[in-house]
Structures are given as structure tokens and as C-alpha cells.
């Protein structure tokens, strides 16, 4: 399935309209449909008015309850999958203010209990030194000082023992020098220090030269089993469809098998830092 970013907002409206039309065509009362779906009537009403976006599993339950024809099932489930995907372009983030984006990330992190980060090219803000963060924002417009402060504030979440974090970095990500070599040595040292924060933090490093079945296409983050974000140069996709999230968890797990953890990861980090000291 392919789509343009502008389809994402429209798909939510189209999905609500299709569900509303199908319900009307079936001639069922809202209460009767709710009983068939094992949902509340108010929940279905919110789906049909566009006030709430149903998950794909909710749509499938409604379609079964309405005995929808196969061609409509295909069309409406495709709409539901698009509606559960969001495109956030970087230019919009810049216009709103990057510190607001930091507040959104902090909210996602506070709500999740298990967080997984796949970092094939750069180090994420939760693990970064102030100098590294400043360098990573060099391409963004405006004064980055407030954004840097917000990123550093977010790092306190690492010490919340009620949460678990798994960071998977490639050796390339560790050594990508967006800061001077002396600062990069300090940054790698921070990674080593954070790796000593078990049991809630696992720091994995994937060595170069390991034969792997698939390439490291994108940076992505998984929040529990309810949401995944995937980043590229111009923005990020947000996936809420459980099938998409399951796929990203499977990819993460496959990469995790090739990573070094604990003392082996720290030895590799030391090897990375040595040339920059």
C-alpha cells in the first residue's frame, strides 16, 4: 500500500464517513451494533463522527458485525491502516518550535514502560552530551538553546527504574563525528557510563562486518507495543497499527541478536573512543 503524506489527515475523515454509511445501510441501531462489537455505543459514535480514530482491530470487529462485503472490507481496512499512520514533517516542527517537539517526546516517554531505540547512524538525544546535541541541531533554524535544555531535561527519564530502555547502536553511529574528535571521545565515554545503569538500561552495539540478513534502513523508536516512530531526513512517520508495530518489534529483535552487551559492548566502545582521545 502506498500513499502520499497529505492522504493521512483525509483518511481519518474518509474512514469515519465509510463507517457511518455502512452502519446506516445495515439498518442497525447504535445500541445493537455496539452489542455485536462488544463496544460502547459512545465509542462507535466517536469513530463514525471522526472524533476518535479506531484501531484496525476495532474496524475489523465493526465490519464483521455489519457483515460488510469483501470489496468494502478491503477498502475500509486500507483506510484504517492509513488513518493509524501519521506524517510529521520537520518544517512544521520548526514552525511550531522545536521545544514543543521535545515536550511531545517527553510525554511519549513518560507514558511508556518499555522503550526500544534503533540507532543506525547517530546517537539519540537521551544519550547525548550537550556538545553533541548542539551539533545535531546545527541545521535547524533559530536559537537552539531552549531545545538543548529540553533535551537535557528529558535525560532524567533514564533513571526511572519503573521503565526499561534498550538502545541498539551500530558502530557507525558511535563513531559518526558530528563534533570534534575530543568531544566525540567524551560522548562515547557517556555511552559507556550509561551502560553501567542496569537493570533498566541495556546498551547494545552492533559491530561492523557482522553478516546480517537486512540493512539498517532507518532510525526508529518503539514505545511499548502501542506506537512506533520512524525517522528520515525530512520528518517522521508515526505508526499506531498493531501490525506495523509488531513488524518493527520483530526487526528490532532480529538486530538485537547481533549486538554486543555489557562488558563486550563497553570494550567495543573503548576501541571506538581510543583514536579520538
Amino acid at each position: 500500500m502506498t500513499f502520499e503524506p497529505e492522504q493521512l489527515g483525509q483518511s481519518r475523515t474518509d474512514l469515519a464517513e465509510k463507517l457511518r454509511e455502512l452502519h446506516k445501510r445495515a439498518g442497525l441501531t447504535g445500541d445493537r451494533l455496539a452489542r455485536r462489537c462488544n463496544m460502547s455505543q459512545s465509542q462507535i459514535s466517536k469513530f463514525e463522527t471522526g472524533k476518535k480514530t479506531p484501531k484496525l482491530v476495532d474496524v475489523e470487529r465493526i465490519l464483521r458485525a455489519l457483515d460488510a462485503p469483501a470489496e468494502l472490507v478491503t477498502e475500509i481496512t486500507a483506510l484504517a491502516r492509513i488513518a493509524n499512520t501519521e506524517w510529521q514533517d520537520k518544517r512544521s516542527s520548526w514552525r511550531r518550535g522545536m521545544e514543543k517537539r521535545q515536550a511531545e517526546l517527553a510525554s511519549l516517554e513518560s507514558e511508556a514502560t518499555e522503550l526500544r531505540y534503533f540507532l543506525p547512524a547517530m546517537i539519540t538525544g537521551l544519550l547525548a552530551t550537550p556538545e553533541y546535541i548542539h551539533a545535531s541541531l546545527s541545521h535547524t533554524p533559530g536559537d537552539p538553546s531552549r531545545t538543548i535544555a529540553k533535551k537535557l531535561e528529558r535525560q532524567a527519564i533514564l533513571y526511572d527504574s519503573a521503565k526499561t530502555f534498550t538502545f541498539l547502536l551500530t558502530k557507525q553511529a558511535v563513531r559518526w563525528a558530528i563534533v570534534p574528535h575530543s568531544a566525540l571521545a567524551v560522548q562515547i565515554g557517556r555511552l559507556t557510563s550509561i551502560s553501567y545503569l542496569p537493570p533498566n538500561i541495556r546498551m547494545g552495539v552492533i559491530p561492523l562486518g557482522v553478516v546480517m540478513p537486512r540493512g539498517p534502513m532507518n532510525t526508529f523508536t518503539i514505545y511499548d507495543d502501542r506506537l512506533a516512530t520512524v525517522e528520515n531526513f525530512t520528518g517522521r512517520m508515526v505508526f499506531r497499527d498493531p501490525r506495523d508495530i509488531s513488524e518493527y518489534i520483530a526487526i528490532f529483535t532480529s538486530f538485537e541478536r547481533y549486538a554486543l552487551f555489557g562488558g563486550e559492548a563497553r570494550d567495543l566502545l573503548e576501541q571506538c573512543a581510543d583514536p579520538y582521545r
Side-chain angles (χ1 to χ4, degrees), residues 63-96:
L63 294 177
R64 282 196 301 269
L66 294 173
D67 197 22
E71 64 274 13
L72 275 180
V73 169
T74 300
E75 177 186 352
I76 295 174
T77 53
L79 274 176
R81 191 159 190 190
I82 298 173
N84 278 276
T85 305
E86 180 183 349
W87 168 252
Q88 298 176 345
D89 69 277
K90 284 194 175 179
R91 284 182 291 274
S92 294
S93 294
W94 293 343
R95 286 193 297 270
R96 291 190 303 117

Side-chain angles (χ1 to χ4, degrees), residues 25 47 98 113 137 180 188 198 231 267:
R25 191 184 308 172
F47 293 159
M98 291 295 289
T113 56
L137 295 171
I188 297 172
E231 298 185 38
D267 288 344

Side-chain angles (χ1 to χ4, degrees), residues 61-265:
R61 286 162 65 187
I62 293 171
L63 294 177
R64 282 196 301 269
L66 294 173
D67 197 22
E71 64 274 13
L72 275 180
V73 169
T74 300
E75 177 186 352
I76 295 174
T77 53
L79 274 176
R81 191 159 190 190
I82 298 173
N84 278 276
T85 305
E86 180 183 349
W87 168 252
Q88 298 176 345
D89 69 277
K90 284 194 175 179
R91 284 182 291 274
S92 294
S93 294
W94 293 343
R95 286 193 297 270
R96 291 190 303 117
M98 291 295 289
E99 64 274 9
K100 291 184 179 178
R101 171 63 186 161
Q102 296 307 306
E104 292 167 359
L105 288 171
S107 177
L108 287 174
E109 291 156 0
S110 68
E111 293 170 3
T113 56
E114 182 175 7
L115 301 97
R116 305 173 180 94
Y117 299 80
F118 179 62
L119 307 165
M122 285 182 62
I123 295 166
T124 186
L126 286 183
L127 305 176
T129 62
E131 190 165 0
Y132 192 98
I133 293 172
H134 187 276
S136 72
L137 295 171
S138 62
H139 62 286
T140 61
D143 180 4
S145 57
R146 292 176 65 184
T147 303
I148 294 170
K150 291 292 185 183
K151 278 179 174 281
L152 293 172
E153 284 177 19
R154 282 175 47 220
Q155 293 178 357
I157 199 82
L158 294 174
Y159 301 92
D160 185 344
S161 59
K163 301 180 184 295
T164 60
F165 299 84
T166 303
F167 298 97
L168 288 185
L169 301 93
T170 64
K171 187 176 179 181
Q172 172 181 298
V174 174
R175 296 190 62 180
W176 195 269
I178 67 168
V179 291
H181 286 181
S182 59
L184 185 58
V186 173
Q187 173 59 76
I188 297 172
R190 173 166 168 75
L191 297 179
T192 301
S193 298
I194 292 174
S195 74
Y196 280 104
L197 294 175
N200 68 313
I201 292 179
R202 297 176 69 236
M203 182 81 66
V205 183
I206 301 173
L208 290 176
V210 174
V211 178
M212 301 177 66
R214 65 194 308 167
M217 299 293 290
N218 298 93
T219 294
F220 64 85
T221 305
I222 306 167
Y223 300 88
D224 296 325
D225 58 355
R226 61 186 178 83
L227 187 145
T229 63
V230 183
E231 298 185 38
N232 60 31
F233 278 112
T234 57
R236 64 186 59 82
M237 299 289 289
V238 180
F239 295 96
R240 293 181 177 85
D241 183 341
R243 298 180 192 185
D244 289 321
I245 297 167
S246 294
E247 178 67 16
Y248 276 101
I249 291 174
I251 293 169
F252 189 91
T253 301
S254 71
F255 286 143
E256 195 173 7
R257 287 196 288 266
Y258 297 92
L260 302 177
F261 289 89
E264 290 183 314

